[in-house]
Amino acid sequence: MTSSDTAHTNLLGLPRPALEAFVAQLGSKPFRARQLMNWMYKRGASSFGEMTDLAKDFRARLAAVAEVRAPQIVSVQASADGTTKWLLRADEAQAFEMVFIPEADRGTLCISSQVGCALDCSFCATAQQGFNRNLSTAEIVGQVWLACRELEREDAIRGIAATQSDPEAAVAADGADERHVTNVVFMGMGEPLANFRNVVPALAILLDDFGFDLSRRRVTLSTSGLVPQIYKLAEETNVALAVSLHAPDDALRNELVPINRKHPIAELLQACWHYLDEQNGRSVTFEYVMLEGVNDSLAQARALARLLKGHPAKVNLIPFNPFPGTHFRRSAAPDIQRFRDELLQRGVLATIRRTRGDDIDAACGQLAGRVIDRTTVRLGSKTFGVAVQPQS
């Protein structure tokens, strides 16, 4: 451990066992780690000087070797529907995005796990940017920490303004959409399971009683289908699992989600059912983006139902969200409804996702960030390069 300014340890990246080991190196007992987590995650503290129940000499030692540092905000965009998108700095040249979606009964934060993505899904704006690097655990956790702080600050400003200008409006605001983070979804930029070594510790902090203390049902990891990592995930954590399926057969999925060429649908589904068995989960959510004339026919709905009927599965139909340069078009609303009804009639639970934040390019599949592409071989090509192999 070094006390140089350039090597301060970011405590946001340390799950509780690692944080306990860290404070032990400073000559303190494990309970200090729990105190630190309480200050960071429950109170949003970033300065050790704020942590008044820690001994002064311990705070001084911490300040010499550690920090609490979230990603820096580059820009903020607000949608007409209340959705907020932040562009966050990865380094001087590139950035990644996170999105907050308020609803009446929840506040969902969509976070990123990579700068760009190497999986090359043809209908996703992130994939078209290429891939640069994985986000660190601190950068992943820091998104949630930062969003909680920003939303709390905005809430305080709104409350003061409403009370001063119109007390009745302040009371009415209590019934508005939830403006606090209640759910976290790994559905932003990147493939979470391709950054396994950093995502799993981040999940631990989100679930930890002394961390963000989120229920396992309120944390969702979405994957394009890295089958070996799904099996490994079942051994490491217990969160809700969502799978980007998007096609009912291998021929079409090979084109839309190229990782299918390596891990076809039957293999993927077997991994999903194993995950539920190991984690006593209720169901897997299968995400299915609706592309006009590509995957939205009633015959394809029937094929999808045959794949999933009798299994603990839920299908989330996602109206395609366009981005510059794409040749895909969104399925018509009546076609999406007919597709959903066909699944329901065949015993498969299905819902249609409400599009949020598309006026600021914050909807599903639209996150692009700012990426310097370092990908050497895309999964959409005939061979798989070393640069895009999932990390174990």
Side-chain angles (χ1 to χ4, degrees):
M1 186 187 311
T2 176
S3 61
S4 69
D5 289 340
T6 58
H8 278 40
T9 298
N10 191 348
L11 301 188
L12 288 179
L14 300 182
R16 197 196 318 177
L19 188 57
E20 289 174 347
F22 182 83
V23 300
Q25 292 180 57
L26 299 181
S28 292
K29 296 182 178 180
F31 78 91
R32 292 297 187 195
R34 296 191 291 273
Q35 287 180 306
L36 279 168
M37 293 183 77
N38 182 65
W39 277 106
M40 290 188 294
Y41 303 120
K42 300 295 193 296
R43 304 191 189 187
S46 59
S47 167
F48 299 121
E50 301 174 60
M51 304 179 185
T52 52
D53 60 352
L54 301 180
K56 285 186 177 181
D57 62 334
F58 179 56
R59 281 184 274 165
R61 292 198 299 275
L62 281 171
V65 298
E67 62 183 347
V68 178
R69 177 169 48 84
Q72 180 183 351
I73 297 173
V74 177
S75 64
V76 184
Q77 291 179 276
S79 168
D81 65 21
T83 298
T84 302
K85 181 173 76 170
W86 290 270
L87 183 67
L88 304 175
R89 188 179 306 281
D91 55 40
E92 290 303 317
Q94 52 197 2
F96 57 97
E97 294 177 327
M98 72 172 178
V99 175
F100 177 72
I101 306 163
E103 297 178 84
D105 60 344
R106 71 185 66 186
T108 301
L109 184 69
C110 178
I111 64 174
S112 295
S113 56
Q114 297 179 312
V115 181
C117 185
L119 295 197
D120 208 22
C121 297
S122 56
F123 51 84
C124 177
T126 304
Q128 309 315 305
Q129 310 306 306
F131 170 79
N132 188 275
R133 69 170 175 86
N134 289 325
L135 294 179
S136 68
T137 301
E139 289 172 322
I140 296 169
V141 173
Q143 293 173 68
V144 185
W145 185 90
L146 179 64
C148 289
R149 292 239 309 191
E150 288 297 299
L151 292 169
E152 183 178 347
R153 181 181 62 82
E154 292 172 9
D155 189 52
I157 293 172
R158 277 195 303 270
I160 293 171
T163 301
Q164 290 176 343
S165 62
D166 187 348
E168 292 184 4
V171 173
D174 290 339
D177 283 349
E178 177 65 63
R179 297 296 300 183
H180 301 87
V181 176
T182 65
N183 295 61
V184 175
V185 296
F186 284 72
M187 296 181 182
M189 296 175 64
E191 163 57 59
L193 292 186
N195 187 12
F196 194 95
R197 67 183 65 174
N198 292 326
V199 165
V200 168
L203 292 172
I205 294 170
L206 294 177
L207 301 178
D208 196 305
D209 292 348
F210 292 94
F212 289 101
D213 194 19
L214 292 171
S215 161
R216 66 184 180 91
R217 292 175 179 171
R218 290 184 175 271
V219 179
T220 301
L221 183 145
S222 176
T223 177
S224 297
L226 302 189
V227 167
Q229 280 68 30
I230 294 175
Y231 282 102
K232 190 173 180 182
L233 187 71
E235 301 172 0
E236 298 282 347
T237 190
N238 186 358
V239 296
L241 182 66
V243 174
S244 297
L245 190 59
H246 308 305
D249 61 82
D250 285 325
L252 179 57
R253 194 166 191 267
N254 286 346
E255 298 303 315
L256 298 178
V257 187
I259 191 64
N260 195 75
R261 301 173 191 174
K262 192 170 186 181
H263 303 297
I265 291 174
E267 184 182 339
L268 173 59
L269 293 181
Q270 186 175 1
C272 292
W273 312 144
H274 171 82
Y275 183 85
L276 291 183
D277 289 342
E278 290 295 306
Q279 297 299 345
N280 193 27
R282 294 188 298 178
S283 65
V284 173
T285 297
F286 291 94
E287 297 162 320
Y288 196 101
V289 65
M290 298 298 294
L291 304 170
E292 183 183 58
V294 176
N295 66 352
D296 61 351
S297 72
L298 292 182
Q300 288 166 318
R302 291 190 284 270
L304 181 60
R306 287 193 294 271
L307 280 179
L308 302 180
K309 186 177 180 180
H311 294 284
K314 178 175 69 174
V315 177
N316 193 353
L317 301 175
I318 305 170
F320 173 66
N321 296 300
F323 54 87
T326 184
H327 65 277
F328 292 114
R329 293 181 297 182
R330 176 184 295 183
S331 301
D335 292 335
I336 297 175
Q337 292 164 4
R338 281 192 288 269
F339 196 99
R340 177 203 58 194
D341 293 344
E342 189 73 21
L343 292 174
L344 292 173
Q345 290 169 11
R346 294 174 180 273
V348 176
L349 180 62
T351 58
I352 300 173
R353 180 179 294 178
R354 176 186 169 197
T355 298
R356 299 290 300 272
D358 54 339
D359 57 332
I360 57 170
D361 292 333
C364 181
Q366 290 185 319
L367 300 190
R370 193 167 66 212
V371 181
I372 297 177
D373 188 4
R374 289 174 50 240
T375 310
T376 58
V377 180
R378 296 286 185 88
L379 289 181
S381 64
K382 294 182 180 179
T383 58
F384 296 87
V386 174
V388 296
Q389 293 300 314
Q391 294 189 10
S392 60

